Amino acid sequence: MLDYYLEPYDGSTSSTACKEPPPVSPLLLMENNKVLNSNHSVAKSDRAEARLSVCSSEAIPSAGDNLFGRNDSGLSHLATVTSDDSIIHYPAKKPLPKPQTVEDGYSLKRLHRLLGDPQSSHEHIYKAYSQLPSPRIEYLSDRKRHDLLHRLSVIEIKSKKAMLRYLSVVDDVHGASIPLTRSEWSSAIAYAGRCFARVEASQVESALHIWKEMEQEAGVRSGTTTFNILFDIATKAGKYVLAEMILKEMNLRKVEYDRFSYVGFIYYHGLKGDSSGVRKAYRELVEAGAIVDTTVMNCVIVSLIRSGEPSAAEQVYERMKRMLQVKTGHTMPSSDWREARKVGRNLEKAFRSMRHDGQQLDRLQAEQCLAPNLRTFSIFIDYHVHITGELRRVAALLYEMQHLEIPLNGRIFVKVFKGFARHGGVKYTSWTTQRLETVWDALVQALDEGIEGVQMMKWMVVWVIRAFARCCGRARALQIWEELRSRWKVADDDEKGAVEHMLREVLDEVWSERKHE
């Protein structure tokens, strides 16, 4: 049944399950600079601030310095890990210090209250934590400390600010000689490598450095999730040789692939432009018993587009819509990222517990609704904005979103304004001034109605101004900027100042382009 989505398929398959490992993984024999240069030359850039406090200023140790804690001499005195990598033995506990002032006591209670409220923001949680007296982390019990790190690690899109918050707490934990769990180490690696929109060589190096610190100094062995994160970072940075080395390391350690691993393989082949590899990786996911949901199909779609097969991606999309018509009564995939994350984790747990029970897996698969969601439409709109420039197709996708009752999101607006900035302002274009004004009115209405997921953000402002400068000229763009400023309540003064400086450059750039056309 699941092969229906990718037919026709004529590639032979071979399982990507762990094969006989090579005698020695090349990853263990290379230093970071050699690994990063093993694919192609990398443009030199400043080191990302992701290095921060968890990264030692010393040179990354070589393979001869007993990397990865493969004997007792490489383990830290702070924590040791059992052979199944699941139990950490902590040092003797010290009694928690008591707040010395009324204000300190209030700050601690406020932090506890925020940690107990699932709706509290990262900003409020970290602000409350920052108000504790030094050493701040020692005022928290083990459970509250884990809660704090977990809450700061769960975020829809990783950013520089979120990274700084998380790694600041990690630094406090190190300073108090308290060991991190494997999950907390993995989150630190993820922040170091994924906090910017584009993964550069410096982020890859930061992630590898933290990984080596995790294994060599803390003695915490990596699990499947850690390797998935490293593989994802290497893949998105275009370091395909490094990605293969990470897989070899998994095989060497006999680390089993999970559902997220197989999805990562699909994405990997898409970035390489290998459509046959995309189909093969998808089939291997199905044969392994992993549950296919909309997230998996979205990965297939974007990977086929990147492989130069947009028509095949469109066919997958059309089949998803037809299956939705057949499975009337099924619940549509949630547009809430927290709910989607929860569903994905539950499907992964089911894969682990039922992977040898074919009937249970078939039953669970039959319950899945493989309907398009916000991410599906975002993929196609992005493709038409950047590649084809077909406004008619973008409009059709927006109509289908409305038909499926998928609410507009701020990111969709950003993509549409990008389209006007790229394709408007020229003769015979379908991206006309009148249509731009219609989209602007829709955005204003969404903001006035307080639609969830639609709010003024830096890149929203930038692309709105770019679009109006391109299509309508400098005067209208400045009028729109004044209206945006009056609506932009969230941003702080520093961010507004940075955007104003950026917009001046944007207006000058667009005006110069228009004069030379």
Side-chain angles (χ1 to χ4, degrees):
M1 170 60 77
L2 293 173
D3 291 341
Y4 166 72
Y5 288 92
L6 290 180
E7 292 176 349
Y9 175 80
D10 57 358
S12 60
T13 63
S14 60
S15 175
T16 48
C18 297
K19 302 177 182 178
E20 186 67 24
V24 180
S25 168
L27 191 59
L28 299 181
L29 302 177
M30 298 183 70
E31 297 182 13
N32 279 11
N33 58 339
K34 296 178 182 178
V35 170
L36 293 176
N37 293 322
S38 56
N39 268 29
H40 48 74
S41 60
V42 181
K44 294 182 179 179
S45 60
D46 295 334
R47 294 185 182 278
E49 289 187 39
R51 300 297 302 239
L52 287 183
S53 50
V54 295
C55 297
S56 169
S57 59
E58 300 173 358
I60 297 173
S62 64
D65 296 328
N66 188 34
L67 287 180
F68 311 111
R70 293 198 167 171
N71 56 53
D72 291 340
S73 63
L75 300 179
S76 168
H77 69 283
L78 296 179
T80 57
V81 183
T82 62
S83 58
D84 65 357
D85 293 348
S86 61
I87 302 174
I88 294 181
H89 300 286
Y90 292 94
K93 291 183 179 180
K94 298 186 296 184
L96 296 178
K98 294 182 179 180
Q100 299 298 309
T101 67
V102 174
E103 290 78 8
D104 292 345
Y106 174 77
S107 296
L108 184 59
K109 288 181 180 179
R110 182 168 182 267
L111 176 59
H112 286 180
R113 186 175 67 254
L114 290 170
L115 289 174
D117 179 8
Q119 300 302 319
S120 55
S121 67
H122 287 194
E123 291 81 1
H124 291 153
I125 290 174
Y126 184 73
K127 183 178 180 181
Y129 171 73
S130 301
Q131 290 172 346
L132 296 177
S134 183
R136 299 174 294 190
I137 201 68
E138 294 188 7
Y139 284 87
L140 302 181
S141 65
D142 289 345
R143 183 166 189 169
K144 291 298 181 184
R145 185 180 69 252
H146 295 316
D147 286 348
L148 173 63
L149 286 165
H150 175 70
R151 289 293 297 275
L152 295 179
S153 70
V154 178
I155 190 170
E156 182 179 12
I157 300 176
K158 289 179 171 57
S159 64
K160 182 178 178 181
K161 285 185 178 179
M163 172 199 69
L164 293 171
R165 285 192 293 261
Y166 187 85
L167 295 187
S168 175
V169 177
V170 168
D171 190 41
D172 290 346
V173 172
H174 279 321
S177 296
I178 300 173
L180 295 166
T181 66
R182 183 163 62 188
S183 174
E184 290 160 356
W185 277 110
S186 297
S187 295
I189 293 170
Y191 266 120
R194 296 172 174 167
C195 64
F196 298 101
R198 186 185 299 274
V199 181
E200 303 287 356
S202 56
Q203 283 90 62
V204 179
E205 186 176 355
S206 296
L208 288 174
H209 196 121
I210 295 174
W211 176 48
K212 292 181 178 182
E213 184 180 358
M214 165 186 168
E215 296 222 345
Q216 182 192 19
E217 298 181 20
V220 179
R221 297 277 284 175
S222 302
T224 304
T225 300
T226 311
F227 282 115
N228 286 345
I229 292 169
L230 289 169
F231 181 80
D232 181 68
I233 293 170
T235 297
K236 290 178 178 176
K239 306 298 179 184
Y240 303 127
V241 172
L242 174 60
E244 293 288 349
M245 294 167 73
I246 290 168
L247 294 184
K248 289 181 181 179
E249 183 69 15
M250 292 180 73
N251 291 340
L252 185 68
R253 301 186 185 196
K254 301 188 185 326
V255 176
E256 290 187 340
Y257 299 153
D258 63 10
R259 182 171 173 271
F260 298 111
S261 303
Y262 289 107
V263 174
F265 300 155
I266 296 171
Y267 194 80
Y268 165 77
H269 287 291
L271 287 177
K272 290 183 69 177
D274 180 7
S275 59
S276 297
V278 170
R279 293 182 170 90
K280 178 181 176 182
Y282 172 77
R283 179 158 299 196
E284 287 167 347
L285 179 147
V286 174
E287 291 176 348
I291 304 300
V292 177
D293 65 349
T294 299
T295 299
V296 174
M297 300 315 301
N298 285 342
C299 186
V300 171
I301 287 171
V302 74
S303 298
L304 287 173
I305 289 175
R306 284 177 174 149
S307 300
E309 294 196 23
S311 59
E314 289 276 2
Q315 290 174 11
V316 174
Y317 168 66
E318 292 298 328
R319 289 166 180 171
M320 291 171 71
K321 289 196 297 183
R322 286 200 289 272
M323 289 297 292
L324 176 61
Q325 295 172 354
V326 172
K327 294 190 174 184
T328 57
H330 277 64
T331 304
M332 288 284 292
S334 174
S335 296
D336 180 71
W337 68 271
R338 293 182 183 84
E339 186 62 27
R341 179 179 182 272
K342 181 179 178 181
V343 170
R345 293 172 72 87
N346 287 339
L347 291 178
E348 169 53 28
K349 290 178 182 177
F351 171 60
R352 289 200 305 265
S353 61
M354 303 177 186
R355 64 189 311 166
H356 301 299
D357 189 341
Q359 290 184 343
Q360 287 279 24
L361 286 174
D362 290 343
R363 179 188 60 78
L364 186 58
Q365 181 62 70
E367 295 174 355
Q368 302 306 308
C369 178
L370 305 182
N373 62 4
L374 180 65
R375 172 62 180 156
T376 316
F377 288 101
S378 179
I379 292 168
F380 281 111
I381 290 172
D382 192 69
Y383 167 70
H384 289 296
V385 163
H386 287 91
I387 305 300
T388 70
E390 294 182 11
L391 179 59
R392 183 177 300 178
R393 185 63 186 129
V394 172
L397 289 165
L398 294 174
Y399 175 79
E400 290 175 10
M401 283 182 64
Q402 183 179 10
H403 177 70
L404 294 175
E405 298 182 350
I406 298 175
L408 277 176
N409 182 276
R411 289 182 212 152
I412 298 296
F413 277 109
V414 170
K415 292 180 188 301
V416 175
F417 283 114
K418 276 186 181 181
F420 282 98
R422 291 174 66 92
H423 307 291
V426 295
K427 290 182 179 179
Y428 312 118
T429 180
S430 57
W431 301 80
T432 63
T433 299
Q434 182 179 0
R435 287 169 175 158
L436 173 60
E437 293 285 357
T438 300
V439 176
W440 165 250
D441 291 340
L443 174 60
V444 170
Q445 182 179 350
L447 291 169
D448 290 342
E449 294 176 357
I451 294 178
E452 185 177 359
V454 181
Q455 59 184 4
M456 278 295 141
M457 300 174 293
K458 180 176 73 172
W459 291 111
M460 171 81 78
V461 173
V462 168
W463 284 107
V464 169
I465 299 301
R466 272 186 173 275
F468 275 94
R470 179 71 181 173
C471 297
C472 307
R474 188 184 188 96
R476 180 58 176 151
L478 290 174
Q479 290 176 357
I480 295 295
W481 167 235
E482 290 303 321
E483 187 167 349
L484 287 172
R485 289 183 64 178
S486 66
R487 292 176 173 276
W488 201 2
K489 307 297 183 184
V490 179
D492 55 38
D493 292 336
D494 290 340
E495 187 173 8
K496 276 190 177 181
V499 171
E500 287 186 358
H501 176 73
M502 186 184 303
L503 289 178
R504 282 194 293 270
E505 295 180 347
V506 167
L507 291 172
D508 291 342
E509 174 190 341
V510 174
W511 187 249
S512 175
E513 291 175 356
R514 286 173 61 90
K515 287 198 303 183
H516 288 86
E517 287 177 354

